[in-house]
Amino acid sequence: MDHQLLIARLNEKGLKVTPQRIAVLNAVYQLGGHPTAERIIEVVRRNNPNIATGTVYKILESFVGIELLRRVKTDKDIMRYDAILEKHHHLYCADSENIEDYFDQELDKIIEDYFKKKEIPDFHIEEIKLQIIGRFSSGS
Amino acid sequence: MDHQLLIARLNEKGLKVTPQRIAVLNAVYQLGGHPTAERIIEVVRRNNPNIATGTVYKILESFVGIELLRRVKTDKDIMRYDAILEKHHHLYCADSENIEDYFDQELDKIIEDYFKKKEIPDFHIEEIKLQIIGRFSSGS
DNA sequence: TTCCTTGTTGAGAACGTTTCTCAACTGATA
DNA sequence: TATCAGTTGAGAAACGTTCTCAACAAGGAA
């Protein structure tokens, strides 16, 4: 996401554009994948040594609030953040903490069609995410 | 799960059958759904007031280890436990902490067939879980 | 029986992650 | 200028979870 879009998005939601917020978002994009708060803080501090831990958490939460980022969960206990690009699923390694994105529009379509025909009682679906658990065959 | 089966399962994995372990498992079954560790501890202490927090966590982890229970994740930060019955998915309420089980063998079959035809490069699938996010229409 | 050995428990300290509190700062507005 | 709302940095605090360790229980061997 370029700065124009970011600024627009922040303004739209009534959040001010600050150097700290830009730094946090840059760090998330730079890290890619699904970084932990710890990694993000580490990277942000490279250019911004005085930023407080709490500030980064607050900023990350505000980004989750305006849907610039999403929380991602492992089966373990640490929160990770995911810069939203488009609808995607996650491959979880059964052995390690590794998480990879998985895009599959064909599958999305199949599932979408399935739930057009078959409703879940008393439940309105907004989104379906697959957790695909398994093992990476090459070094991961 | 009745006690016979539980005892067999514990012995099989080299874990001793203790009153605390039975109490924890009973609490999980009694609570049903996807209780947090906190709720489980609360219920266990009703009949077992002196049980230590760490003991319950240790027992829960040992049950996860022998696959009597599974960890379940919300997007928030609390661990929940799920007494495994059969393959199932989860409905997550977008508004609350409510989680419901969702069983759908027809859908499982469709997804299974899909991945028989289409492999994910460098990845061996062991299990696929759907996180279905949305809203419950009746009071939930 | 007594002595090991092994696994389990209870108590509380310790840990890592996340949230909270609050004074200081910033930028906009009047 | 003064005022105001939002934001930040610093550290304390809270929270869920794990760890440490002495005490205990059960089983086997002597």
Side-chain angles (χ1 to χ4, degrees):
Chain A
M1 180 173 295
D2 60 40
H3 281 194
Q4 295 302 323
L5 241 162
L6 166 60
I7 291 167
R9 193 63 166 275
L10 290 176
N11 283 331
E12 185 186 307
K13 305 282 177 171
L15 295 181
K16 288 183 182 164
V17 180
T18 67
Q20 290 86 346
R21 285 188 176 143
I22 292 170
V24 169
L25 201 72
N26 281 341
V28 175
Y29 281 106
Q30 186 184 323
L31 282 162
H34 312 87
T36 60
E38 197 187 2
R39 291 282 296 131
I40 295 166
I41 291 166
E42 203 180 310
V43 169
V44 169
R45 281 215 240 266
R46 290 217 270 265
N47 299 310
N48 220 322
N50 291 328
I51 199 164
T53 314
T55 302
V56 176
Y57 275 100
K58 236 177 303 178
I59 289 172
L60 287 169
E61 273 320 283
S62 71
F63 285 173
V64 171
I66 65 174
E67 301 194 318
L68 273 174
L69 298 180
R70 239 178 242 187
R71 291 160 168 258
V72 187
K73 273 293 183 193
T74 67
D75 264 358
K76 310 290 183 329
D77 214 11
I78 315 164
M79 186 68 67
R80 287 160 181 275
Y81 293 87
D82 188 1
I84 302 169
L85 305 159
E86 46 185 310
K87 179 176 172 53
H88 66 277
H89 308 288
H90 289 131
L91 305 178
Y92 292 79
C93 181
D95 297 325
S96 75
E97 285 294 279
N98 193 20
I99 306 172
E100 300 272 334
D101 290 327
Y102 177 69
F103 299 88
D104 191 335
Q105 294 183 3
E106 189 187 346
L107 178 61
D108 292 344
K109 182 91 175 58
I110 290 170
I111 294 172
E112 196 184 306
D113 288 346
Y114 179 80
F115 280 112
K116 266 183 195 156
K117 287 183 300 182
K118 178 171 186 168
E119 297 230 324
I120 300 175
D122 298 326
F123 193 79
H124 172 68
I125 297 172
E126 293 181 355
E127 189 187 7
I128 294 176
K129 289 190 283 190
L130 268 70
Q131 298 180 296
I132 306 172
I133 298 115
R135 275 159 230 276
F136 293 97
S137 45
S138 58
S140 61
Chain B
M1 179 172 294
D2 60 40
H3 282 195
Q4 294 303 323
L5 239 163
L6 166 60
I7 291 168
R9 194 60 167 276
L10 290 176
N11 283 330
E12 185 186 307
K13 304 283 179 171
L15 295 181
K16 287 185 182 161
V17 181
T18 67
Q20 290 86 346
R21 286 190 175 140
I22 292 171
V24 169
L25 202 73
N26 279 342
V28 174
Y29 281 106
Q30 186 184 324
L31 282 162
H34 311 87
T36 59
E38 196 188 2
R39 291 283 294 131
I40 295 166
I41 291 166
E42 204 179 309
V43 170
V44 169
R45 281 216 239 265
R46 290 217 270 264
N47 298 310
N48 220 322
N50 291 327
I51 199 164
T53 315
T55 302
V56 177
Y57 275 102
K58 236 177 301 176
I59 289 172
L60 287 169
E61 273 320 285
S62 71
F63 285 173
V64 171
I66 64 174
E67 300 195 317
L68 273 175
L69 297 180
R70 239 179 240 186
R71 291 159 167 260
V72 186
K73 276 294 185 194
T74 67
D75 266 357
K76 312 289 184 328
D77 213 10
I78 315 165
M79 187 68 67
R80 287 161 181 274
Y81 294 87
D82 189 1
I84 302 169
L85 305 160
E86 44 185 310
K87 180 176 170 53
H88 67 277
H89 308 288
H90 288 132
L91 305 178
Y92 292 80
C93 181
D95 297 325
S96 73
E97 287 293 280
N98 193 21
I99 306 171
E100 299 271 333
D101 290 327
Y102 178 68
F103 299 87
D104 190 335
Q105 294 184 1
E106 190 187 344
L107 178 61
D108 293 344
K109 182 90 175 55
I110 291 170
I111 293 172
E112 196 184 305
D113 288 345
Y114 179 80
F115 281 113
K116 267 184 195 153
K117 287 183 303 187
K118 180 171 186 171
E119 298 230 324
I120 301 175
D122 298 327
F123 193 79
H124 171 68
I125 297 172
E126 294 182 353
E127 189 188 8
I128 295 176
K129 288 191 283 190
L130 268 71
Q131 296 180 296
I132 306 172
I133 298 118
R135 273 159 232 275
F136 293 97
S137 44
S138 58
S140 61

PDB file of all heavy atoms in Angstrom, chain A residues 70 83-89 103 105:
ATOM      1  N   ARG A  70      -4.852  -7.705   9.852  1.00  0.00           N
ATOM      2  CA  ARG A  70      -5.670  -8.682  10.528  1.00  0.00           C
ATOM      3  C   ARG A  70      -4.840  -9.459  11.526  1.00  0.00           C
ATOM      4  O   ARG A  70      -3.659  -9.664  11.324  1.00  0.00           O
ATOM      5  CB  ARG A  70      -6.205  -9.676   9.503  1.00  0.00           C
ATOM      6  CG  ARG A  70      -7.695  -9.700   9.503  1.00  0.00           C
ATOM      7  CD  ARG A  70      -8.165 -10.648   8.466  1.00  0.00           C
ATOM      8  NE  ARG A  70      -8.942  -9.920   7.473  1.00  0.00           N
ATOM      9  CZ  ARG A  70      -9.597 -10.537   6.503  1.00  0.00           C
ATOM     10  NH1 ARG A  70      -9.528 -11.823   6.365  1.00  0.00           N
ATOM     11  NH2 ARG A  70     -10.305  -9.819   5.665  1.00  0.00           N
ATOM     12  N   ALA A  83      -0.891  -8.399   6.740  1.00  0.00           N
ATOM     13  CA  ALA A  83      -1.319  -7.283   5.907  1.00  0.00           C
ATOM     14  C   ALA A  83      -2.283  -7.830   4.872  1.00  0.00           C
ATOM     15  O   ALA A  83      -1.938  -8.687   4.082  1.00  0.00           O
ATOM     16  CB  ALA A  83      -0.119  -6.631   5.233  1.00  0.00           C
ATOM     17  N   ILE A  84      -3.483  -7.344   4.890  1.00  0.00           N
ATOM     18  CA  ILE A  84      -4.508  -7.902   4.016  1.00  0.00           C
ATOM     19  C   ILE A  84      -4.240  -7.518   2.575  1.00  0.00           C
ATOM     20  O   ILE A  84      -4.066  -6.356   2.262  1.00  0.00           O
ATOM     21  CB  ILE A  84      -5.898  -7.375   4.401  1.00  0.00           C
ATOM     22  CG1 ILE A  84      -6.195  -7.712   5.854  1.00  0.00           C
ATOM     23  CG2 ILE A  84      -6.961  -7.971   3.495  1.00  0.00           C
ATOM     24  CD1 ILE A  84      -7.410  -7.018   6.380  1.00  0.00           C
ATOM     25  N   LEU A  85      -4.206  -8.471   1.722  1.00  0.00           N
ATOM     26  CA  LEU A  85      -4.073  -8.199   0.299  1.00  0.00           C
ATOM     27  C   LEU A  85      -5.382  -8.559  -0.366  1.00  0.00           C
ATOM     28  O   LEU A  85      -6.089  -7.736  -0.887  1.00  0.00           O
ATOM     29  CB  LEU A  85      -2.933  -9.024  -0.286  1.00  0.00           C
ATOM     30  CG  LEU A  85      -1.590  -8.821   0.432  1.00  0.00           C
ATOM     31  CD1 LEU A  85      -0.649  -9.982   0.169  1.00  0.00           C
ATOM     32  CD2 LEU A  85      -0.968  -7.499  -0.018  1.00  0.00           C
ATOM     33  N   GLU A  86      -5.688  -9.807  -0.318  1.00  0.00           N
ATOM     34  CA  GLU A  86      -6.950 -10.280  -0.862  1.00  0.00           C
ATOM     35  C   GLU A  86      -7.327 -11.521  -0.076  1.00  0.00           C
ATOM     36  O   GLU A  86      -6.565 -11.991   0.763  1.00  0.00           O
ATOM     37  CB  GLU A  86      -6.789 -10.604  -2.349  1.00  0.00           C
ATOM     38  CG  GLU A  86      -5.531 -11.402  -2.624  1.00  0.00           C
ATOM     39  CD  GLU A  86      -5.294 -11.631  -4.109  1.00  0.00           C
ATOM     40  OE1 GLU A  86      -6.244 -12.063  -4.763  1.00  0.00           O
ATOM     41  OE2 GLU A  86      -4.170 -11.398  -4.589  1.00  0.00           O
ATOM     42  N   LYS A  87      -8.478 -12.040  -0.348  1.00  0.00           N
ATOM     43  CA  LYS A  87      -8.954 -13.224   0.373  1.00  0.00           C
ATOM     44  C   LYS A  87      -7.936 -14.345   0.247  1.00  0.00           C
ATOM     45  O   LYS A  87      -7.522 -14.691  -0.853  1.00  0.00           O
ATOM     46  CB  LYS A  87     -10.282 -13.669  -0.241  1.00  0.00           C
ATOM     47  CG  LYS A  87     -10.893 -14.904   0.383  1.00  0.00           C
ATOM     48  CD  LYS A  87     -12.261 -15.182  -0.262  1.00  0.00           C
ATOM     49  CE  LYS A  87     -12.839 -16.525   0.176  1.00  0.00           C
ATOM     50  NZ  LYS A  87     -12.904 -16.718   1.622  1.00  0.00           N
ATOM     51  N   HIS A  88      -7.548 -14.904   1.365  1.00  0.00           N
ATOM     52  CA  HIS A  88      -6.617 -16.022   1.297  1.00  0.00           C
ATOM     53  C   HIS A  88      -6.724 -16.899   2.545  1.00  0.00           C
ATOM     54  O   HIS A  88      -7.323 -16.519   3.530  1.00  0.00           O
ATOM     55  CB  HIS A  88      -5.190 -15.518   1.119  1.00  0.00           C
ATOM     56  CG  HIS A  88      -4.671 -14.756   2.295  1.00  0.00           C
ATOM     57  ND1 HIS A  88      -4.941 -13.424   2.485  1.00  0.00           N
ATOM     58  CD2 HIS A  88      -3.912 -15.130   3.336  1.00  0.00           C
ATOM     59  CE1 HIS A  88      -4.364 -13.032   3.603  1.00  0.00           C
ATOM     60  NE2 HIS A  88      -3.731 -14.034   4.148  1.00  0.00           N
ATOM     61  N   HIS A  89      -6.106 -18.034   2.455  1.00  0.00           N
ATOM     62  CA  HIS A  89      -6.134 -18.995   3.555  1.00  0.00           C
ATOM     63  C   HIS A  89      -4.718 -19.180   4.096  1.00  0.00           C
ATOM     64  O   HIS A  89      -3.791 -18.574   3.592  1.00  0.00           O
ATOM     65  CB  HIS A  89      -6.724 -20.309   3.048  1.00  0.00           C
ATOM     66  CG  HIS A  89      -8.034 -20.118   2.363  1.00  0.00           C
ATOM     67  ND1 HIS A  89      -9.181 -19.808   3.047  1.00  0.00           N
ATOM     68  CD2 HIS A  89      -8.374 -20.130   1.054  1.00  0.00           C
ATOM     69  CE1 HIS A  89     -10.177 -19.667   2.192  1.00  0.00           C
ATOM     70  NE2 HIS A  89      -9.713 -19.852   0.973  1.00  0.00           N
ATOM     71  N   PHE A 103      -3.561 -19.001  -1.673  1.00  0.00           N
ATOM     72  CA  PHE A 103      -4.608 -18.370  -2.482  1.00  0.00           C
ATOM     73  C   PHE A 103      -5.208 -19.423  -3.401  1.00  0.00           C
ATOM     74  O   PHE A 103      -4.472 -20.192  -4.020  1.00  0.00           O
ATOM     75  CB  PHE A 103      -4.013 -17.244  -3.332  1.00  0.00           C
ATOM     76  CG  PHE A 103      -3.403 -16.142  -2.516  1.00  0.00           C
ATOM     77  CD1 PHE A 103      -2.069 -16.205  -2.120  1.00  0.00           C
ATOM     78  CD2 PHE A 103      -4.159 -15.035  -2.151  1.00  0.00           C
ATOM     79  CE1 PHE A 103      -1.505 -15.183  -1.360  1.00  0.00           C
ATOM     80  CE2 PHE A 103      -3.601 -14.011  -1.398  1.00  0.00           C
ATOM     81  CZ  PHE A 103      -2.272 -14.089  -1.003  1.00  0.00           C
ATOM     82  N   GLN A 105      -8.684 -19.240  -5.755  1.00  0.00           N
ATOM     83  CA  GLN A 105     -10.002 -18.698  -6.094  1.00  0.00           C
ATOM     84  C   GLN A 105     -10.969 -19.778  -6.551  1.00  0.00           C
ATOM     85  O   GLN A 105     -12.175 -19.667  -6.345  1.00  0.00           O
ATOM     86  CB  GLN A 105      -9.856 -17.620  -7.169  1.00  0.00           C
ATOM     87  CG  GLN A 105      -9.099 -16.414  -6.630  1.00  0.00           C
ATOM     88  CD  GLN A 105      -9.005 -15.291  -7.640  1.00  0.00           C
ATOM     89  OE1 GLN A 105      -9.551 -15.387  -8.743  1.00  0.00           O
ATOM     90  NE2 GLN A 105      -8.301 -14.221  -7.274  1.00  0.00           N
TER      91      GLN A 105
END
